[in-house]
């Protein structure tokens, strides 16, 4: 029997000029998850990340918790199937919605101003905006979008779990919220247009576990943060 431990990256620097890096809190979330794995005696035969910096940094934080105590853990393998969606998609659809929806345009302007001033409200505005963009993307409201439609992106993500060797018993994957939501939708054999139900709530550094049965990954647990005992450490954006 094979298990997949699927982790969202730690909190990223949404308030800074480069989102693709962890905040200090994000590093702490990753370190604590590594400590949790050790305490639970969970070991890994293989480790994968996407190609994004925040995903690789989260893997580094988890791995550091192991290596500090001289526990063995494999070096991560990069696989772009686990990447978050390309930012060109979100920017392209956001531009189209701004031109058609004054309320969205006002919200986007508030987000932009808060981001330029480094305000905490940036995270809340972004969470609202991205859910609206994702809904249009999933439903194909704006037709063909660069660099891929949602259906094409689902196909890309679906290749990630298929590439985990059949003889591996325990695999750690550090990814992002949208691929994790897609993984859950695929595991539940849902229509891809229903996947957004999982996209709204995936927490930073959260852990979802899947078990392989007859070449299909089945969900065991979802979006857990057992390593974050202090509620102040739990974040979503």
């Amino acid at each position: 029997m094979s298990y997949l431990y699927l982790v969202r990256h730690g909190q990223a620097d949404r308030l800074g000029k480069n989102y693709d890096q962890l905040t200090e809190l994000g590093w702490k979330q990753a370190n604590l998850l590594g400590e949790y794995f050790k305490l639970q005696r969970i070991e890994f035969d293989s480790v994968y990340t996407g190609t994004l910096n925040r995903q690789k940094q989260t893997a580094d934080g988890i791995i550091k918790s192991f290596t500090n105590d001289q526990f063995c853990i494999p070096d991560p393998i990069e696989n772009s199937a686990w990447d978050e969606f390309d930012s060109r998609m979100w920017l392209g659809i956001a531009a189209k919605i701004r031109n058609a929806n004054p309320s969205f345009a006002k919200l986007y302007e508030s987000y932009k101003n808060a981001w330029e001033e480094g305000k905490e409200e940036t995270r809340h505005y972004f969470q609202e905006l991205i859910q609206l963009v994702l809904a249009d993307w999933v439903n194909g409201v704006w037709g063909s979008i660069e660099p891929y439609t949602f259906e094409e992106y689902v196909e890309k993500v679906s290749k990630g779990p298929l590439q985990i060797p059949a003889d591996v018993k325990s695999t750690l994957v550090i990814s992002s919220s949208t691929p994790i939501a897609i993984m859950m939708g695929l595991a539940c054999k849902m229509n891809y247009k229903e996947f957004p139900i999982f996209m709204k709530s995936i927490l930073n550094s959260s852990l979802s576990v899947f078990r392989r049965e007859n070449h299909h990954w089945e969900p065991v647990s979802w979006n857990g943060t057992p390593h974050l005992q202090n509620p102040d450490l739990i974040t979503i954006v």
Side-chain angles (χ1 to χ4, degrees):
M1 189 174 295
S2 181
Y3 285 88
L4 167 59
Y5 295 82
L6 184 55
V7 173
R8 185 189 178 196
H9 61 76
Q11 185 189 61
D13 190 16
R14 174 59 59 190
L15 304 184
K17 300 303 180 184
N18 178 14
Y19 175 62
D20 196 22
Q21 60 182 356
L22 296 187
T23 62
E24 182 178 347
L25 175 55
W27 279 106
K28 186 170 186 177
Q29 291 167 337
N31 293 150
L32 288 172
L33 182 54
E35 294 295 332
Y36 169 79
F37 285 140
K38 283 192 307 181
L39 287 172
Q40 296 298 310
R41 300 178 183 176
I42 299 172
E43 299 182 29
F44 302 106
D45 303 309
S46 61
V47 179
Y48 292 86
T49 73
T51 66
L52 304 177
N53 191 47
R54 58 190 182 274
Q55 298 168 340
K56 292 186 284 186
Q57 286 181 335
T58 302
D60 289 343
I62 293 170
I63 290 169
K64 185 177 180 180
S65 295
F66 279 81
T67 56
N68 281 349
D69 289 336
Q70 298 182 328
F71 280 76
C72 292
I73 185 168
D75 291 332
I77 299 170
E78 291 183 26
N79 184 345
S80 63
W82 296 109
D83 283 355
E84 184 57 280
F85 55 76
D86 192 302
S87 61
R88 286 176 294 168
M89 179 282 296
W90 121 259
L91 292 172
I93 292 181
K96 293 177 182 294
I97 302 176
R98 287 204 311 275
N99 290 329
N101 186 329
S103 296
F104 184 95
K106 184 178 179 180
L107 181 62
Y108 188 91
E109 192 65 23
S110 297
Y111 161 73
K112 182 180 177 183
N113 291 337
W115 179 79
E116 289 175 348
E117 296 173 16
K119 292 182 176 179
E120 186 64 32
E121 290 93 326
T122 300
R123 301 184 188 280
H124 305 298
Y125 288 135
F126 178 77
Q127 185 69 0
E128 288 187 61
L129 289 169
I130 198 62
Q131 294 304 324
L132 296 169
V133 168
L134 287 173
D136 278 11
W137 186 36
V138 170
N139 289 290
V141 171
W142 303 101
S144 182
I145 293 292
E146 291 295 329
Y148 31 55
T149 65
F150 183 69
E151 194 168 2
E152 290 168 340
Y153 181 67
V154 169
E155 179 65 24
K156 175 179 180 290
V157 172
S158 69
K159 295 176 182 177
L162 294 176
Q163 292 168 6
I164 298 173
D167 59 347
V168 171
K169 293 183 178 180
S170 182
T171 297
L172 172 65
V173 174
I174 295 87
S175 185
S176 294
S177 59
T178 314
I180 294 171
I182 290 171
M183 179 69 187
M184 189 63 172
L186 292 171
C188 295
K189 299 182 179 181
M190 296 167 62
N191 183 286
Y192 75 90
K193 289 191 176 183
E194 299 176 292
F195 292 179
I197 193 172
F198 299 118
M199 296 179 185
K200 301 176 182 179
S201 59
I202 303 174
L203 302 169
N204 293 127
S205 78
S206 65
L207 172 63
S208 300
V209 182
F210 299 83
R211 177 179 57 231
R212 183 156 45 193
E213 292 282 356
N214 298 322
H215 308 290
H216 176 71
W217 291 100
E218 299 179 350
V220 175
S221 64
W222 165 252
N223 198 33
T225 54
H227 55 298
L228 302 179
Q229 295 300 306
N230 182 346
D232 291 337
L233 300 179
I234 299 175
T235 59
I236 194 168
V237 179

